């Protein structure tokens, strides 16, 4: 019961906005975009209402940022060097990168960079006390942008995308991490930027397709470190690959992207409710078939 909260010292309105954002997330995954948009309108509407885990980082790995813990325990297993996002999307010199006359991803690239060799040297997203997003203002804005464009129209999608960009310009945005620094530029887009030949449409896409592709790509970058970009890729792969992020294969012999998360052996041993036989990694889940 919302009025009888015993675990969180927060107002019922805060819990309700969190619940609406969660509903919007799940409606996105079932492609019920009108319901997603309606829920997000009542969702998290300010940065300080985002739900994040803030590691105290006082004792040892148990209360550190989980990325930092992994680096500490498995040095060299996790790094962003060579990754698609860093090498293709954020790096200014890359072909097809996100930087243009209205956008500079330098600060965000620095914040998201993970060296992966020494946990104590991480300063950005994998710092020992870096907050870990659960359900955020950024996600809610991007639900409003994508679902709003699908159900209300181009102008609504652009409006909500620009609300996110305004947020990124502030020191509350994910891009503005004082420990890592860098240049921040996220000027507002206008409709003409998405016309063929515009700064966000280097080819011959319709303006609608170009804006949708930018919103999906922004979700891929802004929601970095969560399962949501993986969910988006699976959701859009069947019918909307023209706006999906073109995530490359990491080996030249690969022909399929994973559709599922691997079941742990302990889960297989102990949970009688798991499907039998265990589904192949590349078998689409029911909602994405």
């Amino acid at each position: 019961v919302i009025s009888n909260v015993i675990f969180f010292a927060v107002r019922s309105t805060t819990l309700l906005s969190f619940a609406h954002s969660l509903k919007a997330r799940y409606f996105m995954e079932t492609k019920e975009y009108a319901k997603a948009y309606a829920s997000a309108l009542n969702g998290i509407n300010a940065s300080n209402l985002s739900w994040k885990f803030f590691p105290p980082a006082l004792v040892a790995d148990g209360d550190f940022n989980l990325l930092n813990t992994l680096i500490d325990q498995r040095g060299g297993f996790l790094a962003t060097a060579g990754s698609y996002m860093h090498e293709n999307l954020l790096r200014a010199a890359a072909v097809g990168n996100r930087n243009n006359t209205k956008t500079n991803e330098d600060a965000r690239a620095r914040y998201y960079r993970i060296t992966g060799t020494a946990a104590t040297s991480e300063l950005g997203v994998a710092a020992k006390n870096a907050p870990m997003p659960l359900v955020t203002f950024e996600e809610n804005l991007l639900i409003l942008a994508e679902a709003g464009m699908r159900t209300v129209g181009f102008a609504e999608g652009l409006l909500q995308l620009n609300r996110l960009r305004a947020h990124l310009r502030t020191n509350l945005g994910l891009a503005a991490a004082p420990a890592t620094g860098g240049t921040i530029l996220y000027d507002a887009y206008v409709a003409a930027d998405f016309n063929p030949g515009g700064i966000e449409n280097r080819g011959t896409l319709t303006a609608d397709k170009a804006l949708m592709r930018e919103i999906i790509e922004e979700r891929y970058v802004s929601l970095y470190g969560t399962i949501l970009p993986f969910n988006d890729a699976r959701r859009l792969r069947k019918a909307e690959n023209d706006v999906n992020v073109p995530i490359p294969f990491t080996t030249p012999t690969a022909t399929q992207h994973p559709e599922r998360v691997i079941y742990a052996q302990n889960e297989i041993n102990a949970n009688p409710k798991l499907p039998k036989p265990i589904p192949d990694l590349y078998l689409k889940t029911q909602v994405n078939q």
Side-chain angles (χ1 to χ4, degrees):
V1 178
I2 292 293
S3 62
N4 190 27
V5 177
I6 61 173
F7 293 110
F8 301 104
V10 294
R11 299 189 308 271
S12 61
T13 52
T14 303
L15 283 173
L16 281 171
S17 68
F18 168 77
H20 282 297
S21 289
L22 266 184
K23 284 178 63 179
R25 174 190 292 184
Y26 298 135
F27 282 135
M28 289 293 288
E29 294 183 7
T30 57
K31 305 181 182 70
E32 297 175 89
Y33 297 118
K35 292 180 179 179
Y37 178 73
S39 293
L41 286 174
N42 294 306
I44 295 170
N45 60 8
S47 180
N48 65 329
L49 298 180
S50 293
W51 286 59
K52 300 179 181 180
F53 169 54
F54 288 86
L58 297 174
V59 183
D61 288 348
D63 67 355
F64 283 15
N65 172 289
L66 295 181
L67 297 174
N68 191 271
T69 298
L70 177 61
I71 295 166
D72 184 50
Q73 296 179 353
R74 297 286 189 273
F77 276 57
L78 176 68
T80 53
S83 69
Y84 175 72
M85 188 172 77
H86 274 76
E87 298 301 323
N88 295 77
L89 296 183
L90 300 184
R91 188 166 63 90
V95 176
N97 68 79
R98 292 176 51 77
N99 296 277
N100 55 48
T101 56
K102 293 185 174 181
T103 304
N104 190 323
E105 293 281 25
D106 177 48
R108 187 149 56 173
R110 290 170 185 246
Y111 178 66
Y112 282 163
R113 185 174 297 125
I114 298 174
T115 60
T117 54
T120 55
S121 68
E122 299 292 341
L123 299 175
V125 69
K128 66 180 183 179
N129 62 345
M132 303 192 69
L134 302 173
V135 185
T136 63
F137 178 50
E138 292 86 352
E139 179 188 355
N140 200 75
L141 284 175
L142 286 164
I143 292 172
L144 288 171
E146 182 184 344
M149 182 175 174
R150 291 181 184 276
T151 60
V152 180
F154 181 97
E156 179 66 8
L158 180 59
L159 171 68
Q160 300 298 345
L161 177 63
N162 279 333
R163 287 183 65 199
L164 175 73
R165 292 174 67 81
H167 174 63
L168 290 173
R169 290 196 295 271
T170 73
N171 61 4
L172 298 175
L174 290 175
T180 48
T183 301
I184 297 172
L185 176 65
Y186 297 99
D187 288 347
Y189 284 130
V190 297
D193 293 331
F194 298 91
N195 291 336
I199 63 173
E200 275 299 309
N201 189 350
R202 296 169 181 142
T204 58
L205 292 175
T206 66
D208 281 6
K209 287 288 186 182
L211 176 57
M212 182 61 74
R213 187 173 64 178
E214 169 60 21
I215 291 170
I216 299 301
E217 195 173 89
E218 184 60 58
R219 284 177 59 87
Y220 184 82
V221 177
S222 278
L223 305 179
Y224 174 87
T226 74
I227 198 172
L228 297 174
F230 177 53
N231 292 348
D232 284 352
R234 296 184 294 167
R235 170 170 61 92
L236 299 168
R237 193 171 287 143
K238 180 178 179 180
E240 295 185 89
N241 250 350
D242 54 347
V243 298
N244 207 355
V245 176
I247 305 168
F249 294 115
T250 56
T251 60
T253 56
T255 59
Q256 300 179 78
H257 289 288
E259 293 286 342
R260 296 170 176 266
V261 177
I262 297 172
Y263 287 111
Q265 189 60 52
N266 285 347
E267 185 78 8
I268 295 172
N269 294 342
N271 187 350
K273 299 296 185 181
L274 286 185
K276 291 183 175 59
I278 298 299
D280 182 89
L281 186 64
Y282 301 101
L283 179 65
K284 291 187 175 184
T285 57
Q286 184 175 354
V287 73
N288 291 316
Q289 289 175 0

